[in-house]
Amino acid sequence: MKKLAYVDNPEEWVNQFSFYIPIKVRFSETDMFGHMNNTAPFVYFEEARIEFMKSYGMLKDVSSKAESVPVVADLQCDFHQQVYFDDHLKLYVKVESMGRTSYDVHYMAMNQNENVCLTGRGRIVHINPQTGKPVEIAQEIKDQLVTV
Amino acid sequence: MKKLAYVDNPEEWVNQFSFYIPIKVRFSETDMFGHMNNTAPFVYFEEARIEFMKSYGMLKDVSSKAESVPVVADLQCDFHQQVYFDDHLKLYVKVESMGRTSYDVHYMAMNQNENVCLTGRGRIVHINPQTGKPVEIAQEIKDQLVTV
Amino acid sequence: MKKLAYVDNPEEWVNQFSFYIPIKVRFSETDMFGHMNNTAPFVYFEEARIEFMKSYGMLKDVSSKAESVPVVADLQCDFHQQVYFDDHLKLYVKVESMGRTSYDVHYMAMNQNENVCLTGRGRIVHINPQTGKPVEIAQEIKDQLVTV
Amino acid sequence: MKKLAYVDNPEEWVNQFSFYIPIKVRFSETDMFGHMNNTAPFVYFEEARIEFMKSYGMLKDVSSKAESVPVVADLQCDFHQQVYFDDHLKLYVKVESMGRTSYDVHYMAMNQNENVCLTGRGRIVHINPQTGKPVEIAQEIKDQLVTV
């Protein structure tokens, strides 16, 4: 795995993941270069992040009447190995660090040959959907989410 | 152009289009067969349909508080010629027939060589976003929309 | 279920499906109307169709060097019920009728409440990727595919 | 504009952009939170990057027989302001730094109110599509591409 600005100790970083969802690369997610298009991982990241949050009882209300909704402040992906149609990925997620109104989510995708093919991270901010302002995250959610 | 169940007189049908939007086929809309993926035309149809409606002063309010929103009841596309990355299409739209709460929208895409490569149609129903029930379309909108 | 031009006997038609894949509606597949965007079913149809074909040993070679590749000649979808984020669908597929170089694939999606929310169909043609010409489908594949 | 690891001098950085393409946010690119889904910018980045390259005479051959094809090594996006359906963006691109086989592409999107709503960057590597190995970029291309 190449050197990543968001990873201090690669071995430790990899081992701290435990939650994952299975992803099968769809035909419509490939492009004419014959591999997965570079926009697909961000779809996978979102799905994995949401399932992770749901597993902690979050995101019960995702309507515009919700008190707070999670929005993406930034997002990045490193492509370590080519990914192809029908590859079966394990898309791992963890919360790496927690602030007052936001937290850092880290991602890692492992293919069927146990190779890390994608890694990434991104900041999630909780905002009030009416005002657009950041909302403090409840302590009980914080305590749960940070697994590292 | 092959025989289409939704077209009686092909020559007349083609000539009745006048509104169109330009579409450039994106790289991310191709697939590993080297051409435009078959899911892309439905994205183009939606964009063209919305621009068509906007040109008639519709769709000013697309929020969940709107009195009525247009939803797709059915949608179909015929693929007449292969479409490739970077093809420049003219995506034509017209309203073919008008009912009390719904209307039929027809589509035609012509490529840079003036060949018809995609055709399609689909029923749009106006519903109340709160109740989900069909809403009658105002006579003044009906009078405007049907151009054929 | 509303009347569909491609279904003669609805009860019989529904019962003839047996193969399906699970689909979970992704957040990125919703739109600002708060439901699944109308372009998403065509992505699901493609995934289901490919898994169906793979279950019959087809699509082993999907490269540009393959002797024949399946392409979509036309595609349509009827929206029977609203579909929402996180709905769990069973996406059923069957081959309805078989020609010399093409066949008709039918689709049905049932949600977690056992309601039929989407139906559809589309013609698949096998073509030679070099010449673009239709290729006759082998009798052994024909015998397998038509399940109705 | 918030502080970005990939921008030393924000004012200078913004002023060094000149090439851009227009982007209109599609309805199908929104999500149920009522704004542009976070996966859409990466589609815009790709389209802008390709148009930028084409404007320099690159990407004439994007087939699998090409001597080299550009692939994404990493990609990131910062979301500075909410982006909505039908926003008209100017998507700016520039090459920030050039290596032997790869270069850094920077992105900035400005909305119709002249606010910077998205920024980003990503490394592009030129590889041989047969071998997957990095390919040295011709000096004449290097000389053209680096505009800063």
Side-chain angles (χ1 to χ4, degrees), chain B residues 1 4 7 21 24-25 38-39 42 46 51 81 86 92 98 100 104 111 113-114 140 145 148:
Chain B
M1 212 167 78
L4 299 168
V7 176
I21 62 162
K24 199 150 49 73
V25 178
N38 65 77
T39 63
F42 304 101
E46 184 177 67
E51 290 301 317
Q81 297 223 351
D86 215 19
Y92 287 92
M98 179 60 79
R100 212 177 59 83
D104 233 47
N111 66 15
N113 304 319
E114 303 283 311
E140 63 195 74
L145 274 188
V148 296

Side-chain angles (χ1 to χ4, degrees), chain C residues 17-24 44-45 48 87-93 107-118:
Chain C
F17 285 104
S18 63
F19 182 94
Y20 75 89
I21 62 162
I23 293 282
K24 199 149 50 71
Y44 306 158
F45 286 3
D87 273 356
H88 287 59
L89 309 179
K90 288 183 179 170
L91 211 320
Y92 288 91
V93 204
Y107 308 92
M108 178 180 70
M110 210 170 250
N111 66 16
Q112 58 275 10
N113 304 320
E114 302 284 309
N115 291 317
V116 174
C117 42
L118 305 166

Side-chain angles (χ1 to χ4, degrees), chain A residues 131-148:
Chain A
T131 65
K133 301 280 182 212
V135 170
E136 191 160 350
I137 298 164
Q139 190 59 45
E140 63 194 74
I141 289 175
K142 288 185 186 180
D143 292 343
Q144 285 189 319
L145 274 188
V146 184
T147 51
V148 297

